[in-house]
Amino acid sequence: MAWAKENGGNNKAAELNYVDRSLDGPSHNFSLMPTPSKHTQYPYVTGSSVLGIKYKDGILLASDTAGCYGSTVRYKSVERLKRIGDNTILGASGEISDFQAITNLLDELITEDWMWDDGNKLGPFEIHNYLNRVMYNRRNKFDPLWNSLVLGGIKKGKKYLGMVSMIGVHFQDNHVATGFGNHLARPIFRDEWKEDMTLEEGVKLLEKCLLVLFYRDRSAINKFQMANVTEGGITITEPFALKVNWELEAFRNPTKGAEGSW
Amino acid sequence: MTKTAIDLPPKGGFSFDLCRRNAFLESQGAKMPKFRKTGTTIVGLVFKDGVILGADTRATEGEIVCDKNCEKIHYLAPNIYCCGAGTAADTENVTDMVSSQLELHRYATSRESRVVTALTMLKSHLFGYQGQVSAALVLGGVDVTGPHLHAVYPHGSTDTLPFATMGSGSLAAMAVFESRFKEGMTKEQGIEVVCAAICAGIFNDLGSGSNVDLCVITKGGKEYLRNYQQPNPRSYTHSKGYHFTTILSSKIRSLRNHVRVVEGDAMEEE
């Protein structure tokens, strides 16, 4: 069926007649069935990894501020960490427009909750559950919100850190990461995270992982943000850069002892 | 493939005649046999006096661990060793072949082998097979020109590096290297970092597991430390073997009293 593969399926008429049919012919006439829509199956402007850890007083989230359009770093000041209400922070990797839609949804949710004026505010566990439902329902309609979300918060002394993926997989843990962070940062967390770290230790651990991600993830840039949520409130830092080290002696002339190799 | 008038002798390399047929059969649902891959985390690191190579010891065949304690650090020359990731048969045979070639070369030149010689032999072989020989190698050694460490990829490209990782666990191991590597480490520091990198691969990657193998090569010689660390012991075995509780009670019923034995013919065996 060579023509079914040419021009990316624009030969709809021909396709409808021949694709998915047996050689004997169908029992019903399927020529009115539309081909499935594909515009929901790839992201356009994407953000890279988000890292999150629990520490003694609350939660720390970190991410870089790059929005990549395919293989170009098109936007260098994309804030991928947002505050939700008074005690939760949300970080997202994946499609930026879907992240913006999610933050709109959550803003509406928080506003409606505030309007009840009943002395209770939505906490991180509730928002996690809401996000989980949203993501899973969209996935069931074959139109996912193309994000991996990291949610962290603290309410009445109870710390929460969790992740919801684009297909609705969700879990909570002491340290989470999305995207490349899973492969590069999680091994370091598993080795070096400990219960009740101070803020300085937590920041140092995150900075170490952000640096590794900058070295080894092609869609990362040297411009990061960190968000901190404690019982006292939420702070999101201004973008900062980390000190990189390219001064290894071996990098100056890598083929010094091996003439002709590369 | 049409037959030419003169039957030329085969020039070596693979014959791709059956590829279209195989692709068609696979699309129709025929299952290709799984080959044994080494999954793997392999690393190499240059320290003050030489090179340290490290590897895990798990070999997988699809989803099954087929060898819990295989050797992934292969001998090339007394002063050159090579870790291999990818298809186990490919890494074994390529390193064996280059090892023999290096020995012949040593006899011909009366000199100690150089790492770049092994590198060139490996890369020209792999490039000739256009990536079909699925061997990703970390080659390290010390020769008269000093310590060298190279990463060799299945298509034949190479990298000369102060620290290298390959295999499915390479990202976990590289994360450890990028955060802990320093130039001019001592042997103890180097061994610690290499072990940490391999352990990161073992515990965070499903294709790697079991034990840590090390090989430390210096100007003075080599130390092949097989199973240097065994962070996955079988903790549920009992060293003296299992024994069951003492007998609490026993009751013997003789069935002969209850069964009436009748003579008869044996059953016909048809």
Side-chain angles (χ1 to χ4, degrees):
Chain A
M1 301 291 141
W3 61 78
K5 293 196 178 60
E6 279 169 17
N7 357 348
N10 278 336
N11 296 1
K12 284 240 161 55
E15 242 191 336
L16 288 171
N17 277 323
Y18 290 94
V19 168
D20 289 333
R21 295 263 186 103
S22 70
L23 287 176
D24 305 320
S27 44
H28 308 290
N29 186 0
F30 285 123
S31 54
L32 293 175
M33 231 156 94
T35 49
S37 80
K38 292 208 168 47
H39 66 263
T40 67
Q41 289 180 11
Y42 33 81
Y44 284 93
V45 180
T46 54
S48 184
S49 348
V50 176
L51 312 172
I53 54 170
K54 274 189 194 168
Y55 73 105
K56 191 166 65 141
D57 305 321
I59 316 286
L60 272 170
L61 252 56
S63 78
D64 65 14
T65 60
C68 297
Y69 186 66
S71 52
T72 45
V73 181
R74 188 156 173 199
Y75 305 105
K76 294 195 190 171
S77 301
V78 178
E79 285 206 14
R80 295 194 287 119
L81 304 172
K82 284 261 145 61
R83 68 177 67 213
I84 314 287
D86 289 331
N87 48 21
T88 325
I89 39 178
L90 174 72
S93 69
E95 172 63 59
I96 301 292
S97 62
D98 283 343
F99 175 53
Q100 291 170 340
I102 289 172
T103 42
N104 281 343
L105 270 178
L106 286 176
D107 282 341
E108 281 174 22
L109 183 77
I110 297 288
T111 307
E112 205 191 308
D113 176 58
W114 178 83
M115 289 198 294
W116 281 105
D117 202 16
D118 53 5
N120 189 27
K121 292 221 180 79
L122 284 176
F125 290 93
E126 291 83 53
I127 297 180
H128 167 101
N129 197 31
Y130 176 77
L131 279 178
N132 184 27
R133 291 289 101 220
V134 165
M135 302 300 269
Y136 186 64
N137 271 292
R138 287 293 296 260
R139 164 261 198 196
N140 285 341
K141 294 186 208 159
F142 280 93
D143 185 15
L145 288 162
W146 207 279
N147 292 112
S148 288
L149 304 164
V150 172
L151 195 66
I154 179 166
K155 187 177 170 190
K156 297 205 177 102
K158 223 167 141 207
K159 287 182 276 202
Y160 158 89
L161 177 64
M163 199 180 107
V164 185
S165 82
M166 114 180 152
I167 48 175
V169 174
H170 61 281
F171 57 89
Q172 295 169 34
D173 206 342
N174 293 323
H175 43 76
V176 293
T178 64
F180 248 94
N182 269 315
H183 298 111
L184 290 171
R186 246 35 238 269
I188 301 181
F189 287 155
R190 286 195 175 132
D191 223 10
E192 299 186 17
W193 183 89
K194 51 187 209 290
E195 199 70 52
D196 285 338
M197 290 194 293
T198 63
L199 180 63
E200 288 74 37
E201 289 175 335
V203 167
K204 220 163 131 221
L205 179 61
L206 281 180
E207 284 183 350
K208 182 193 279 207
C209 294
L210 286 175
L211 193 58
V212 175
L213 281 172
F214 172 62
Y215 282 140
R216 294 282 162 176
D217 178 6
R218 82 164 187 176
S219 43
I221 55 173
N222 194 2
K223 190 174 168 195
F224 308 103
Q225 266 190 313
M226 267 202 224
N228 179 14
V229 60
T230 58
E231 289 280 20
I234 300 175
T235 37
I236 303 186
T237 65
E238 287 298 302
F240 62 90
L242 290 172
K243 202 151 159 297
V244 285
N245 177 23
W246 294 103
E247 299 306 314
L248 287 182
E249 192 54 48
F251 287 164
R252 281 183 209 285
N253 189 2
T255 58
K256 190 167 73 153
E259 296 301 324
S261 69
W262 59 83
Chain B
M1 190 133 124
T2 56
K3 265 185 165 281
T4 55
I6 314 156
D7 270 337
L8 296 166
K11 276 196 239 158
F14 292 131
S15 155
F16 291 93
D17 293 347
L18 293 173
C19 281
R20 263 172 101 203
R21 159 209 183 254
N22 289 343
F24 173 74
L25 285 174
E26 223 176 337
S27 71
Q28 297 294 308
K31 286 208 192 74
M32 290 292 142
K34 291 200 215 281
F35 42 79
R36 186 187 187 228
K37 298 193 71 151
T38 50
T40 304
T41 310
I42 48 173
V43 306
L45 180 143
V46 174
F47 70 107
K48 200 167 53 157
D49 309 317
V51 166
I52 306 177
L53 300 173
D56 74 305
T57 61
R58 173 184 284 185
T60 51
E61 216 167 58
E63 272 71 47
I64 304 173
V65 176
C66 59
D67 191 346
K68 290 185 282 189
N69 208 0
C70 69
E71 284 188 18
K72 297 189 193 179
I73 306 188
H74 308 287
Y75 166 89
L76 280 183
N79 58 327
I80 308 174
Y81 274 75
C82 182
C83 307
T87 309
D90 288 338
T91 58
E92 281 282 344
N93 283 295
V94 149
T95 47
D96 258 359
M97 187 201 76
V98 169
S99 166
S100 315
Q101 286 183 357
L102 281 175
E103 199 170 340
L104 291 172
H105 195 250
R106 277 202 293 285
Y107 290 134
T109 56
S110 310
R111 281 172 177 74
E112 192 187 56
S113 298
R114 299 196 185 188
V115 182
V116 282
T117 318
L119 181 72
T120 312
M121 289 179 181
L122 285 166
K123 77 158 82 166
S124 32
H125 179 85
L126 291 174
F127 179 72
Y129 281 88
Q130 287 293 293
Q132 302 296 326
V133 175
S134 171
L137 312 164
V138 169
L139 171 70
V142 179
D143 56 30
V144 286
T145 51
H148 299 284
L149 179 70
H150 302 280
V152 185
Y153 293 85
H155 284 264
S157 65
T158 59
D159 275 329
T160 313
L161 294 164
F163 55 92
T165 67
M166 297 283 252
S168 54
S170 62
L171 281 91
M174 186 51 87
V176 171
F177 271 172
E178 284 285 11
S179 46
R180 292 204 215 177
F181 178 80
K182 280 187 276 294
E183 288 204 287
M185 286 191 279
T186 63
K187 183 170 127 180
E188 287 69 36
Q189 292 171 326
I191 288 183
E192 211 188 294
V193 178
V194 167
C195 277
I198 299 286
C199 283
I202 286 175
F203 293 118
N204 293 295
D205 173 46
L206 296 176
S208 316
S210 301
N211 315 122
V212 179
D213 279 355
L214 286 184
C215 186
V216 184
I217 311 175
T218 54
K219 206 161 69 145
K222 61 140 199 315
E223 258 181 272
Y224 188 85
L225 301 163
R226 168 82 171 141
N227 285 1
Y228 178 78
Q229 243 184 39
Q230 293 180 309
N232 290 304
R234 290 184 71 187
S235 49
Y236 51 83
T237 51
H238 189 48
S239 59
K240 295 196 188 71
Y242 287 103
H243 64 275
F244 299 95
T245 56
T246 49
I247 298 172
L248 297 175
S249 71
S250 68
K251 183 175 181 180
I252 300 173
R253 283 174 65 167
S254 176
L255 285 175
R256 200 166 282 280
N257 304 333
H258 300 272
V259 169
R260 195 160 54 99
V261 177
V262 166
E263 295 297 324
D265 292 324
M267 203 168 72
E268 298 252 323
E269 284 180 27
E270 203 60 53

PDB file of all heavy atoms in Angstrom, chain A residues 239-261:
ATOM      1  N   PRO A 239      16.248  34.603  38.911  1.00  0.00           N
ATOM      2  CA  PRO A 239      17.105  33.678  38.171  1.00  0.00           C
ATOM      3  C   PRO A 239      18.573  33.873  38.529  1.00  0.00           C
ATOM      4  O   PRO A 239      19.026  35.002  38.708  1.00  0.00           O
ATOM      5  CB  PRO A 239      16.865  34.051  36.708  1.00  0.00           C
ATOM      6  CG  PRO A 239      15.526  34.681  36.696  1.00  0.00           C
ATOM      7  CD  PRO A 239      15.373  35.375  38.010  1.00  0.00           C
ATOM      8  N   PHE A 240      19.295  32.755  38.674  1.00  0.00           N
ATOM      9  CA  PHE A 240      20.721  32.831  39.001  1.00  0.00           C
ATOM     10  C   PHE A 240      21.479  31.849  38.123  1.00  0.00           C
ATOM     11  O   PHE A 240      20.905  30.951  37.524  1.00  0.00           O
ATOM     12  CB  PHE A 240      20.956  32.506  40.481  1.00  0.00           C
ATOM     13  CG  PHE A 240      20.550  31.116  40.864  1.00  0.00           C
ATOM     14  CD1 PHE A 240      21.450  30.050  40.794  1.00  0.00           C
ATOM     15  CD2 PHE A 240      19.252  30.852  41.289  1.00  0.00           C
ATOM     16  CE1 PHE A 240      21.065  28.763  41.144  1.00  0.00           C
ATOM     17  CE2 PHE A 240      18.860  29.571  41.639  1.00  0.00           C
ATOM     18  CZ  PHE A 240      19.764  28.531  41.567  1.00  0.00           C
ATOM     19  N   ALA A 241      22.819  32.047  38.057  1.00  0.00           N
ATOM     20  CA  ALA A 241      23.663  31.147  37.265  1.00  0.00           C
ATOM     21  C   ALA A 241      24.614  30.423  38.191  1.00  0.00           C
ATOM     22  O   ALA A 241      24.918  30.906  39.276  1.00  0.00           O
ATOM     23  CB  ALA A 241      24.449  31.936  36.218  1.00  0.00           C
ATOM     24  N   LEU A 242      25.087  29.274  37.769  1.00  0.00           N
ATOM     25  CA  LEU A 242      26.033  28.508  38.570  1.00  0.00           C
ATOM     26  C   LEU A 242      27.419  28.578  37.947  1.00  0.00           C
ATOM     27  O   LEU A 242      27.570  28.754  36.743  1.00  0.00           O
ATOM     28  CB  LEU A 242      25.602  27.043  38.656  1.00  0.00           C
ATOM     29  CG  LEU A 242      24.345  26.771  39.483  1.00  0.00           C
ATOM     30  CD1 LEU A 242      23.939  25.331  39.315  1.00  0.00           C
ATOM     31  CD2 LEU A 242      24.590  27.085  40.934  1.00  0.00           C
ATOM     32  N   LYS A 243      28.422  28.392  38.789  1.00  0.00           N
ATOM     33  CA  LYS A 243      29.788  28.464  38.304  1.00  0.00           C
ATOM     34  C   LYS A 243      30.140  27.137  37.637  1.00  0.00           C
ATOM     35  O   LYS A 243      30.066  26.076  38.243  1.00  0.00           O
ATOM     36  CB  LYS A 243      30.717  28.701  39.506  1.00  0.00           C
ATOM     37  CG  LYS A 243      32.035  29.293  39.160  1.00  0.00           C
ATOM     38  CD  LYS A 243      32.549  30.115  40.331  1.00  0.00           C
ATOM     39  CE  LYS A 243      34.057  30.305  40.228  1.00  0.00           C
ATOM     40  NZ  LYS A 243      34.814  29.053  40.304  1.00  0.00           N
ATOM     41  N   VAL A 244      30.555  27.207  36.369  1.00  0.00           N
ATOM     42  CA  VAL A 244      30.910  25.989  35.647  1.00  0.00           C
ATOM     43  C   VAL A 244      32.415  25.874  35.542  1.00  0.00           C
ATOM     44  O   VAL A 244      33.130  26.866  35.564  1.00  0.00           O
ATOM     45  CB  VAL A 244      30.309  25.974  34.230  1.00  0.00           C
ATOM     46  CG1 VAL A 244      28.844  25.680  34.295  1.00  0.00           C
ATOM     47  CG2 VAL A 244      30.548  27.287  33.541  1.00  0.00           C
ATOM     48  N   ASN A 245      32.905  24.655  35.429  1.00  0.00           N
ATOM     49  CA  ASN A 245      34.337  24.435  35.380  1.00  0.00           C
ATOM     50  C   ASN A 245      34.729  23.736  34.088  1.00  0.00           C
ATOM     51  O   ASN A 245      34.444  22.560  33.884  1.00  0.00           O
ATOM     52  CB  ASN A 245      34.756  23.576  36.583  1.00  0.00           C
ATOM     53  CG  ASN A 245      36.227  23.260  36.552  1.00  0.00           C
ATOM     54  OD1 ASN A 245      37.011  23.967  35.935  1.00  0.00           O
ATOM     55  ND2 ASN A 245      36.609  22.182  37.211  1.00  0.00           N
ATOM     56  N   TRP A 246      35.353  24.471  33.191  1.00  0.00           N
ATOM     57  CA  TRP A 246      35.843  23.865  31.963  1.00  0.00           C
ATOM     58  C   TRP A 246      37.363  23.794  31.951  1.00  0.00           C
ATOM     59  O   TRP A 246      37.964  23.527  30.916  1.00  0.00           O
ATOM     60  CB  TRP A 246      35.381  24.683  30.745  1.00  0.00           C
ATOM     61  CG  TRP A 246      33.905  24.641  30.562  1.00  0.00           C
ATOM     62  CD1 TRP A 246      33.028  25.624  30.883  1.00  0.00           C
ATOM     63  CD2 TRP A 246      33.125  23.578  30.030  1.00  0.00           C
ATOM     64  NE1 TRP A 246      31.754  25.245  30.587  1.00  0.00           N
ATOM     65  CE2 TRP A 246      31.784  23.985  30.055  1.00  0.00           C
ATOM     66  CE3 TRP A 246      33.435  22.314  29.533  1.00  0.00           C
ATOM     67  CZ2 TRP A 246      30.744  23.176  29.604  1.00  0.00           C
ATOM     68  CZ3 TRP A 246      32.386  21.511  29.079  1.00  0.00           C
ATOM     69  CH2 TRP A 246      31.068  21.951  29.117  1.00  0.00           C
ATOM     70  N   GLU A 247      37.975  24.042  33.125  1.00  0.00           N
ATOM     71  CA  GLU A 247      39.429  24.206  33.157  1.00  0.00           C
ATOM     72  C   GLU A 247      40.180  22.918  33.393  1.00  0.00           C
ATOM     73  O   GLU A 247      41.283  22.944  33.928  1.00  0.00           O
ATOM     74  CB  GLU A 247      39.797  25.216  34.256  1.00  0.00           C
ATOM     75  CG  GLU A 247      39.203  26.600  34.038  1.00  0.00           C
ATOM     76  CD  GLU A 247      39.556  27.155  32.680  1.00  0.00           C
ATOM     77  OE1 GLU A 247      40.728  27.079  32.282  1.00  0.00           O
ATOM     78  OE2 GLU A 247      38.645  27.648  31.984  1.00  0.00           O
ATOM     79  N   LEU A 248      39.586  21.780  33.046  1.00  0.00           N
ATOM     80  CA  LEU A 248      40.330  20.538  33.246  1.00  0.00           C
ATOM     81  C   LEU A 248      41.540  20.504  32.315  1.00  0.00           C
ATOM     82  O   LEU A 248      41.446  20.854  31.139  1.00  0.00           O
ATOM     83  CB  LEU A 248      39.440  19.332  32.953  1.00  0.00           C
ATOM     84  CG  LEU A 248      38.357  19.005  33.991  1.00  0.00           C
ATOM     85  CD1 LEU A 248      37.620  17.762  33.570  1.00  0.00           C
ATOM     86  CD2 LEU A 248      38.957  18.810  35.349  1.00  0.00           C
ATOM     87  N   GLU A 249      42.653  20.093  32.863  1.00  0.00           N
ATOM     88  CA  GLU A 249      43.878  20.004  32.071  1.00  0.00           C
ATOM     89  C   GLU A 249      43.668  19.112  30.852  1.00  0.00           C
ATOM     90  O   GLU A 249      44.167  19.395  29.758  1.00  0.00           O
ATOM     91  CB  GLU A 249      44.996  19.432  32.966  1.00  0.00           C
ATOM     92  CG  GLU A 249      46.396  19.534  32.400  1.00  0.00           C
ATOM     93  CD  GLU A 249      46.773  20.937  31.987  1.00  0.00           C
ATOM     94  OE1 GLU A 249      46.569  21.884  32.767  1.00  0.00           O
ATOM     95  OE2 GLU A 249      47.270  21.103  30.857  1.00  0.00           O
ATOM     96  N   ALA A 250      42.919  18.043  31.044  1.00  0.00           N
ATOM     97  CA  ALA A 250      42.729  17.095  29.943  1.00  0.00           C
ATOM     98  C   ALA A 250      41.903  17.685  28.814  1.00  0.00           C
ATOM     99  O   ALA A 250      41.973  17.215  27.688  1.00  0.00           O
ATOM    100  CB  ALA A 250      42.041  15.834  30.457  1.00  0.00           C
ATOM    101  N   PHE A 251      41.114  18.745  29.095  1.00  0.00           N
ATOM    102  CA  PHE A 251      40.321  19.344  28.029  1.00  0.00           C
ATOM    103  C   PHE A 251      41.145  20.303  27.179  1.00  0.00           C
ATOM    104  O   PHE A 251      40.729  20.668  26.089  1.00  0.00           O
ATOM    105  CB  PHE A 251      39.123  20.108  28.604  1.00  0.00           C
ATOM    106  CG  PHE A 251      38.039  19.224  29.142  1.00  0.00           C
ATOM    107  CD1 PHE A 251      37.060  19.743  29.976  1.00  0.00           C
ATOM    108  CD2 PHE A 251      37.976  17.878  28.827  1.00  0.00           C
ATOM    109  CE1 PHE A 251      36.052  18.935  30.480  1.00  0.00           C
ATOM    110  CE2 PHE A 251      36.976  17.074  29.326  1.00  0.00           C
ATOM    111  CZ  PHE A 251      35.996  17.610  30.169  1.00  0.00           C
ATOM    112  N   ARG A 252      42.284  20.744  27.690  1.00  0.00           N
ATOM    113  CA  ARG A 252      43.049  21.725  26.918  1.00  0.00           C
ATOM    114  C   ARG A 252      43.560  21.109  25.633  1.00  0.00           C
ATOM    115  O   ARG A 252      43.471  21.693  24.572  1.00  0.00           O
ATOM    116  CB  ARG A 252      44.248  22.211  27.737  1.00  0.00           C
ATOM    117  CG  ARG A 252      43.893  23.224  28.764  1.00  0.00           C
ATOM    118  CD  ARG A 252      45.152  23.701  29.472  1.00  0.00           C
ATOM    119  NE  ARG A 252      44.841  24.102  30.823  1.00  0.00           N
ATOM    120  CZ  ARG A 252      44.216  25.230  31.138  1.00  0.00           C
ATOM    121  NH1 ARG A 252      43.859  26.060  30.205  1.00  0.00           N
ATOM    122  NH2 ARG A 252      43.951  25.511  32.381  1.00  0.00           N
ATOM    123  N   ASN A 253      44.131  19.939  25.741  1.00  0.00           N
ATOM    124  CA  ASN A 253      44.617  19.272  24.548  1.00  0.00           C
ATOM    125  C   ASN A 253      44.315  17.788  24.687  1.00  0.00           C
ATOM    126  O   ASN A 253      45.166  17.001  25.057  1.00  0.00           O
ATOM    127  CB  ASN A 253      46.119  19.504  24.392  1.00  0.00           C
ATOM    128  CG  ASN A 253      46.611  19.011  23.053  1.00  0.00           C
ATOM    129  OD1 ASN A 253      45.831  18.525  22.233  1.00  0.00           O
ATOM    130  ND2 ASN A 253      47.907  19.116  22.816  1.00  0.00           N
ATOM    131  N   PRO A 254      43.069  17.409  24.402  1.00  0.00           N
ATOM    132  CA  PRO A 254      42.652  16.048  24.733  1.00  0.00           C
ATOM    133  C   PRO A 254      43.455  14.972  24.026  1.00  0.00           C
ATOM    134  O   PRO A 254      43.642  13.894  24.558  1.00  0.00           O
ATOM    135  CB  PRO A 254      41.179  15.997  24.321  1.00  0.00           C
ATOM    136  CG  PRO A 254      40.910  17.226  23.572  1.00  0.00           C
ATOM    137  CD  PRO A 254      41.982  18.185  23.814  1.00  0.00           C
ATOM    138  N   THR A 255      43.973  15.256  22.825  1.00  0.00           N
ATOM    139  CA  THR A 255      44.648  14.183  22.096  1.00  0.00           C
ATOM    140  C   THR A 255      46.149  14.313  22.193  1.00  0.00           C
ATOM    141  O   THR A 255      46.884  13.879  21.318  1.00  0.00           O
ATOM    142  CB  THR A 255      44.236  14.198  20.618  1.00  0.00           C
ATOM    143  OG1 THR A 255      44.572  15.477  20.082  1.00  0.00           O
ATOM    144  CG2 THR A 255      42.752  13.974  20.468  1.00  0.00           C
ATOM    145  N   LYS A 256      46.610  14.912  23.298  1.00  0.00           N
ATOM    146  CA  LYS A 256      48.052  15.165  23.425  1.00  0.00           C
ATOM    147  C   LYS A 256      48.862  13.874  23.303  1.00  0.00           C
ATOM    148  O   LYS A 256      49.829  13.804  22.589  1.00  0.00           O
ATOM    149  CB  LYS A 256      48.329  15.809  24.785  1.00  0.00           C
ATOM    150  CG  LYS A 256      49.741  16.326  24.924  1.00  0.00           C
ATOM    151  CD  LYS A 256      49.843  17.210  26.154  1.00  0.00           C
ATOM    152  CE  LYS A 256      49.793  16.359  27.409  1.00  0.00           C
ATOM    153  NZ  LYS A 256      50.483  16.988  28.531  1.00  0.00           N
ATOM    154  N   GLY A 257      48.400  12.831  24.009  1.00  0.00           N
ATOM    155  CA  GLY A 257      49.189  11.599  23.981  1.00  0.00           C
ATOM    156  C   GLY A 257      48.730  10.650  22.893  1.00  0.00           C
ATOM    157  O   GLY A 257      49.286   9.576  22.718  1.00  0.00           O
ATOM    158  N   ALA A 258      47.715  11.029  22.142  1.00  0.00           N
ATOM    159  CA  ALA A 258      47.140  10.099  21.174  1.00  0.00           C
ATOM    160  C   ALA A 258      46.969  10.833  19.864  1.00  0.00           C
ATOM    161  O   ALA A 258      45.861  11.084  19.418  1.00  0.00           O
ATOM    162  CB  ALA A 258      45.797   9.586  21.695  1.00  0.00           C
ATOM    163  N   GLU A 259      48.093  11.151  19.223  1.00  0.00           N
ATOM    164  CA  GLU A 259      48.030  11.929  17.981  1.00  0.00           C
ATOM    165  C   GLU A 259      47.161  11.244  16.951  1.00  0.00           C
ATOM    166  O   GLU A 259      47.304  10.047  16.708  1.00  0.00           O
ATOM    167  CB  GLU A 259      49.451  12.077  17.394  1.00  0.00           C
ATOM    168  CG  GLU A 259      50.413  12.865  18.269  1.00  0.00           C
ATOM    169  CD  GLU A 259      49.916  14.272  18.541  1.00  0.00           C
ATOM    170  OE1 GLU A 259      49.306  14.877  17.637  1.00  0.00           O
ATOM    171  OE2 GLU A 259      50.115  14.766  19.655  1.00  0.00           O
ATOM    172  N   GLY A 260      46.293  11.994  16.354  1.00  0.00           N
ATOM    173  CA  GLY A 260      45.483  11.417  15.283  1.00  0.00           C
ATOM    174  C   GLY A 260      44.138  10.907  15.757  1.00  0.00           C
ATOM    175  O   GLY A 260      43.262  10.678  14.943  1.00  0.00           O
ATOM    176  N   SER A 261      43.968  10.725  17.064  1.00  0.00           N
ATOM    177  CA  SER A 261      42.622  10.312  17.499  1.00  0.00           C
ATOM    178  C   SER A 261      41.804  11.567  17.758  1.00  0.00           C
ATOM    179  O   SER A 261      42.324  12.665  17.672  1.00  0.00           O
ATOM    180  CB  SER A 261      42.719   9.454  18.762  1.00  0.00           C
ATOM    181  OG  SER A 261      43.121  10.240  19.845  1.00  0.00           O
TER     182      SER A 261
END
